Amino acid sequence: RHAGVNAPAPDLAVFFHQCKRTGLDPFAKQIYMIARQGKQTIQTGIDGFRLIARRATDRTNGTLGYKPTLWMDGNGRWLEVWPYDTAPIAAKVTVIRNGGEFPAIAMFNEYAGRKRDGSLNQMWSTRKAGMIAKCAEALALRMAFPQDLSGLYTADEMQQADNPTVMEHAPRQY
């Protein structure tokens, strides 16, 4: 699944451009090129996003902070701690950059990584609240730092790309 010597040269050129642009090191596992459904995707972990945000903030002598992460329960209430074994409906992260707020909400069912049988994969079944919070954080960081993070996605956000597709029954064409 990981890209390697089989990746087309144009895809490798785009990947190395992103490495240079973001300052992330593929050998330190800060950024990856991964084959998903026959296409190369460029991904990083949430720590790579945090590093890019910190560097951009330091470069401009700006400020960077967060409001507490929130999780939504089944009744639409936002909680600062997720105490349940079930999955939250959503997570909300607000990045504060130079006094401006950049809130983002990630819906669990839109991001959760699943196996072929439709059940949650290992990470999403054991770290439900943590995984969806990382997706919300990545969304918020991308809004706060569009110049630095546009076109780059975390592996956590992309796990849903491997979910099995459900074929809808279409009327037969005669």
Side-chain angles (χ1 to χ4, degrees):
R1 207 169 121 157
H2 289 278
V5 294
N6 296 332
D11 290 341
L12 284 171
V14 170
F15 176 65
F16 289 125
H17 171 75
Q18 283 286 52
C19 292
K20 184 176 180 181
R21 184 176 78 81
T22 60
L24 297 180
D25 183 351
F27 298 105
K29 298 184 179 182
Q30 296 172 339
I31 189 167
Y32 308 86
M33 185 165 62
I34 297 176
R36 289 191 182 278
Q37 299 178 1
K39 294 178 74 178
Q40 302 296 329
T41 62
I42 300 171
Q43 299 170 195
T44 183
I46 194 64
D47 289 337
F49 268 41
R50 291 172 182 152
L51 177 60
I52 292 167
R54 172 54 43 208
R55 286 177 179 164
T57 301
D58 292 348
R59 239 186 356 259
T60 61
N61 294 317
T63 60
L64 174 63
Y66 291 84
K67 284 189 168 183
T69 299
L70 300 172
W71 290 270
M72 182 185 280
D73 69 12
N75 295 317
R77 291 179 303 215
W78 289 103
L79 308 173
E80 286 191 23
V81 174
W82 189 253
Y84 308 111
D85 289 333
T86 59
I89 301 300
K92 179 179 182 180
V93 171
T94 301
V95 170
I96 304 168
R97 180 182 186 192
N98 300 331
E101 294 187 6
F102 300 87
I105 296 172
M107 303 297 290
F108 188 87
N109 285 334
E110 292 177 0
Y111 286 94
R114 299 187 182 277
K115 300 178 195 173
R116 287 193 186 276
D117 67 4
S119 64
L120 295 172
N121 70 24
Q122 170 90 26
M123 287 300 293
W124 283 88
S125 66
T126 58
R127 299 201 62 247
K128 297 171 186 75
M131 294 299 288
I132 195 61
K134 289 193 297 182
C135 291
E137 183 179 357
L139 290 169
L141 285 167
R142 209 171 13 260
M143 285 192 297
F145 297 89
Q147 180 65 33
D148 303 281
L149 292 171
S150 65
L152 195 59
Y153 297 89
T154 65
D156 306 312
E157 292 176 285
M158 293 301 295
Q159 283 191 18
Q160 52 73 34
D162 291 328
N163 288 349
T165 53
V166 178
M167 298 290 291
E168 292 186 30
H169 294 287
R172 290 189 181 176
Q173 301 291 322
Y174 296 99

